């Protein structure tokens, strides 16, 4: 793997380790308050980053464009902001809600950008 494919796969592994650690913590403590953070980390973090990595690995023409780099950084920054913000929000800190909202919009924008990048590549004749 090279470029953003490698970056996304590395990010996916970090998300998987963080999500699993949070799941273990919840299980051991018998406090499942952070279940939404765990689920978002595993699906939005681990799964989506791994899918992005595989896409960019399979389609190097997309991997080498500047939009792919923007996609990676928008996904990474907004995703981490979303998960950290959600963790604190569910921990009883409502003042962090604007960070969660902005990060959610950024993460959605990253998915829209992925659609702009990926769909022309996979539909190309």
């Amino acid at each position: 793997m090279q470029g953003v494919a490698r970056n996304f796969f590395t990010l996916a592994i970090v998300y998987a380790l963080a999500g699993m650690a949070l799941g273990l913590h919840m299980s051991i403590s018998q406090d499942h308050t952070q279940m939404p953070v765990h689920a978002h980390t595993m699906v939005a973090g681990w799964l989506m980053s791994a899918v992005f990595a595989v896409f960019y690995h399979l389609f190097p023409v997309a991997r080498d464009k500047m939009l792919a780099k923007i996609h990676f950084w928008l996904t990474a920054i907004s995703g981490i902001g979303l998960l950290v913000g959600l963790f604190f929000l569910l921990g009883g800190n409502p003042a962090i809600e604007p960070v969660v909202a902005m990060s959610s919009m950024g993460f959605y924008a990253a998915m829209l950008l992925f659609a702009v990048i990926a769909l022309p590549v996979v539909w190309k004749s």
Side-chain angles (χ1 to χ4, degrees):
M1 276 190 178
Q2 298 176 349
V4 294
R6 180 178 48 219
N7 294 348
F8 269 118
F9 199 69
T10 302
L11 185 62
I13 291 170
V14 170
Y15 277 130
L17 291 170
M20 293 175 81
L22 180 57
L24 285 169
H25 171 73
M26 288 187 306
S27 178
I28 292 166
S29 69
Q30 296 294 303
D31 178 3
H32 295 87
T33 306
Q34 296 291 343
M35 181 62 77
V37 179
H38 168 71
H40 278 77
T41 303
M42 297 309 294
V43 175
W46 155 245
L47 184 61
M48 285 180 66
S49 294
V51 168
F52 295 153
V54 170
F55 170 80
Y56 286 118
H57 181 71
L58 292 176
F59 298 98
V61 66
R63 171 183 72 213
D64 297 331
K65 300 200 182 225
M66 179 56 78
L67 276 183
K69 292 174 181 63
I70 294 168
H71 176 230
F72 171 77
W73 285 109
L74 183 57
T75 301
I77 292 167
S78 63
I80 291 167
L82 172 62
L83 297 174
V84 171
L86 191 56
F87 180 85
F88 285 108
L89 180 67
L90 294 175
N93 299 288
I96 200 80
E97 193 163 1
V99 172
V100 175
M102 293 290 290
S103 297
S104 295
M105 289 186 277
F107 203 75
Y108 184 74
M111 188 63 212
L112 284 175
L113 181 56
F114 181 66
V116 167
I117 293 166
L119 291 176
V121 172
V122 297
W123 283 96
K124 188 174 182 177
S125 304

